[in-house]
Amino acid sequence: MSKDQYFCFKEKMNNNSKIHFEISERRMILYLFDIIFVLGALFCIGFFFDFEYLEMTTAHFGWQIVFAIYLLVFGTIFEMYNLQVASNESQIVRSALLTVVSAVSIYLMTPVFSPELPSNRIEILVLYSVVLIALLGWRLFYVRYLASNRFFQNAILICDKGQVQELVLGLETIDPHYKIIAYVSTENNRPQNSAFENYIQEIDKNDLTTFIRQNTVSEIVIASQKADGITTVLYQQLLLLLESGYVIREYTQVYESKTYRIPVQFIERDFYRFFPFSRNNQNRLYLFFLRFFEISISIIGLFIGLLLIPFVMIGNAIGNRGKLFYTQERVGKNGDVFEIYKFRTMVKNAESKGNVFTVNNDKRVTSFGKFLRKTRIDEFPQFVNILKGDMAIIGPRPERPFFVKRIAKEMPFYETRHVIKPGLTGWAQVNYSYGETIEDSLIKLQYDLYYIKHRSIYLDLNIILKTITTVLFYRGQ
């Protein structure tokens, strides 16, 4: 290719570019504009209509920060920043209503951090109304325009033909704005019709550059494990695309950034590429404050648990008709086995036929036990395990020795999750239901390893807020 042809190609590529947003960018847009629209609306209404309470809220920087924090925290709890929810009109209306009612109510009830309540009570109603209209108006605009097809991120996949369906669905089911529009097979045969071709087009290796020139593509994802699949012609095209400003990434990188899971099923034995894990796993200052937080929360949790015991005893006597507590062996940090404490939720002799996974609508779980599981009340006794040091507030779910041995035989890296303490809640628990099969255990392992790799205060806070969401929306298992 001549120099003139190269610059002509590059110009066409630039002219064919399309605006798109990464997941983190879309969340940042939502965070930022939620605050801008709400505070902006409060300022305008307070200024033009002489509502003193609204004007004070926006005039004092400290009060603005407090209100913004309340809005973002409750927005996270009620899934305002879940991209699937944020792209659905009916769901975002529900989430916005719950967020506004909760955030404004807490703001009004904490006059130490906010202005004193106004003497004119009509201003309180105006505050609720303005925040709801501003937030809902902006979010509906986002759904109809910024979350529309014109802002989709189109990508091309380079992989083995047998991997296509699994790889494509693995990404598109997570990110509603990410679309793989075609793939290039690394096998030597020419493109052929297949059952999956109605969903995604296969293009010839030699036509990659031409296809990208004619379509709005922003990213090329390489998933092939075969070195000989990247031919000289294909390599030269990829190099030209890279020099032209196109993003070329490996599938495992894309998968991790979009799913927040480590793709252990695609990396075979080269897991060293994902080491070292988060430095916070050995950071003494982080671990000290985390332990202080765990002890404090455990004491509060046990106090609440004591208040709930009379209610649980009555429900257990009527619905469970057995012992109130039960203990069970679980595997903890470094593979050490400990006894876990829980309120009993199953019938007597639930495993008389042997060890089995808990499943949805498990007949062994009593009606009162379902309530305890959905509300997570059954796990309050585990605060004793946390005080003893067997468990943490946040970490992988502690599994039974029988299942650990069974799963570890079939799944590489499974016991890697034991490098930290198991948790009362965790990244896998808030993102996925109980594992019913080995395949479910693989998905949960991916989440657990992601947490171990990216462990941080921010991720811990995110998990805590998602746990609150799980309880409020009655999603426990």
Side-chain angles (χ1 to χ4, degrees):
M1 179 178 287
S2 67
K3 186 175 182 181
D4 291 339
Q5 288 176 318
Y6 168 77
F7 283 111
C8 180
F9 169 77
K10 188 171 182 179
E11 183 179 356
K12 287 181 180 180
M13 291 294 185
N14 293 334
N15 291 336
N16 208 31
S17 62
K18 178 181 179 181
I19 297 175
H20 66 269
F21 302 104
E22 297 286 349
I23 290 179
S24 59
E25 293 172 332
R26 285 198 293 277
R27 286 207 176 99
M28 189 56 64
I29 288 172
L30 295 176
Y31 289 137
L32 182 62
F33 282 94
D34 280 357
I35 301 304
I36 290 175
F37 274 92
V38 168
L39 291 181
L42 290 176
F43 175 80
C44 292
I45 299 299
F47 179 80
F48 288 107
F49 293 93
D50 195 28
F51 288 120
E52 184 180 0
Y53 190 77
L54 275 65
E55 189 175 353
M56 285 192 299
T57 295
T58 55
H60 194 289
F61 183 72
W63 291 336
Q64 292 180 35
I65 295 296
V66 169
F67 190 81
I69 291 174
Y70 288 159
L71 195 65
L72 295 179
V73 167
F74 284 103
T76 302
I77 291 174
F78 294 115
E79 301 181 305
M80 292 283 288
Y81 307 106
N82 179 315
L83 295 182
Q84 279 75 19
V85 173
S87 301
N88 184 290
E89 283 194 12
S90 60
Q91 291 184 12
I92 204 61
V93 169
R94 180 201 66 170
S95 295
L97 183 60
L98 291 172
T99 297
V100 170
V101 170
S102 302
V104 173
S105 298
I106 295 298
Y107 183 75
L108 292 169
M109 291 188 293
T110 54
V112 175
F113 305 106
S114 58
E116 294 184 6
L117 291 176
S119 56
N120 183 5
R121 300 307 185 193
I122 193 66
E123 292 193 34
I124 296 178
L125 180 61
V126 172
L127 178 62
Y128 279 103
S129 302
V130 171
V131 174
L132 179 60
I133 292 172
L135 186 61
L136 200 53
W138 142 243
R139 283 310 193 94
L140 290 177
F141 172 83
Y142 173 86
V143 171
R144 295 182 182 181
Y145 296 99
L146 297 184
S148 63
N149 291 349
R150 66 172 65 97
F151 292 103
F152 271 28
Q153 182 179 5
N154 292 332
I156 287 180
L157 185 64
I158 298 176
C159 65
D160 304 335
K161 182 172 291 189
Q163 297 178 290
V164 177
Q165 185 168 354
E166 180 185 9
L167 297 177
V168 171
L169 297 179
L171 292 179
E172 292 189 354
T173 54
I174 298 296
D175 186 349
H177 301 88
Y178 193 80
K179 181 71 174 176
I180 297 178
I181 61 174
Y183 76 98
V184 176
S185 174
T186 53
E187 299 169 8
N188 293 325
N189 55 320
R190 300 288 295 178
Q192 298 177 353
N193 293 332
S194 64
F196 201 59
E197 191 170 316
N198 293 330
Y199 182 81
I200 181 173
Q201 177 183 355
E202 180 183 1
I203 58 177
D204 191 90
K205 296 178 183 179
N206 300 316
D207 298 332
L208 176 62
T209 301
T210 303
F211 183 86
I212 291 178
R213 183 189 306 164
Q214 297 172 349
N215 296 271
T216 309
V217 176
S218 58
E219 183 171 84
I220 300 95
V221 181
I222 300 177
S224 176
Q225 300 294 327
K226 299 178 181 178
D228 58 351
I230 308 296
T231 62
T232 302
V233 174
L234 181 56
Y235 177 79
Q236 289 176 345
Q237 292 183 80
L238 291 173
L239 184 60
L240 179 60
L241 290 168
L242 184 63
E243 292 173 346
S244 301
Y246 276 80
V247 176
I248 300 177
R249 292 199 288 172
E250 188 184 19
Y251 183 85
T252 53
Q253 297 173 323
V254 180
Y255 184 94
E256 182 177 341
S257 67
K258 292 190 177 297
T259 65
Y260 302 105
R261 309 198 304 246
I262 299 294
V264 293
Q265 73 274 36
F266 298 126
I267 61 178
E268 297 182 349
R269 294 289 175 180
D270 55 348
F271 196 63
Y272 62 88
R273 292 161 48 192
F274 290 88
F275 282 99
F277 283 132
S278 172
R279 293 181 180 179
N280 285 326
N281 294 323
Q282 288 81 36
N283 186 319
R284 293 185 179 181
L285 184 62
Y286 168 82
L287 295 176
F288 171 80
F289 282 109
L290 194 64
R291 184 59 182 160
F292 176 79
F293 168 77
E294 290 173 349
I295 292 173
S296 302
I297 294 298
S298 297
I299 292 173
I300 296 172
L302 287 174
F303 176 74
I304 296 174
L306 288 174
L307 297 179
L308 291 173
I309 277 185
F311 165 74
V312 177
M313 289 179 65
I314 295 173
N316 183 71
I318 298 173
N320 292 349
R321 299 180 182 179
K323 293 182 179 179
L324 182 63
F325 298 96
Y326 90 94
T327 62
Q328 196 175 65
E329 286 189 342
R330 297 292 174 96
V331 178
K333 184 178 180 180
N334 299 324
D336 296 333
V337 177
F338 67 96
E339 293 283 334
I340 196 173
Y341 307 111
K342 295 185 71 174
F343 287 126
R344 195 171 61 84
T345 59
M346 290 188 175
V347 297
K348 294 181 180 178
N349 302 317
E351 293 191 325
S352 57
K353 297 182 180 180
N355 298 314
V356 293
F357 283 112
T358 302
V359 299
N360 284 326
N361 300 317
D362 198 316
K363 295 181 180 179
R364 298 173 300 162
V365 179
T366 65
S367 56
F368 184 66
K370 289 181 181 179
F371 169 77
L372 293 180
R373 285 173 174 251
K374 289 288 185 182
T375 57
R376 297 289 182 93
I377 292 176
D378 66 314
E379 297 181 349
F380 269 81
Q382 290 175 38
F383 286 116
V384 174
N385 292 115
I386 296 172
L387 286 177
K388 291 172 63 177
D390 297 328
M391 293 177 58
I393 294 290
I394 298 171
R397 186 175 185 82
E399 192 52 86
R400 296 157 67 180
F402 172 83
F403 290 119
V404 169
K405 293 178 181 178
R406 176 184 167 187
I407 298 171
K409 289 180 180 179
E410 302 185 34
M411 194 179 300
F413 323 121
Y414 183 76
E415 292 183 290
T416 308
R417 66 202 294 274
H418 299 144
V419 301
I420 64 173
K421 292 180 183 179
L424 183 64
T425 186
W427 192 234
Q429 291 94 303
V430 298
N431 284 290
Y432 202 75
S433 61
Y434 277 3
E436 301 180 11
T437 63
I438 295 294
E439 290 74 20
D440 291 330
S441 297
L442 171 62
I443 295 176
K444 297 190 72 174
L445 173 63
Q446 293 175 18
Y447 281 116
D448 287 334
L449 295 180
Y450 181 91
Y451 174 74
I452 296 171
K453 179 179 179 180
H454 298 279
R455 194 179 188 189
S456 65
I457 293 176
Y458 172 78
L459 188 54
D460 289 339
L461 290 175
N462 196 356
I463 291 170
I464 290 172
L465 293 177
K466 281 179 173 288
T467 302
I468 296 173
T469 301
T470 300
V471 174
L472 289 178
F473 286 109
Y474 208 57
R475 293 175 183 167
Q477 287 288 335

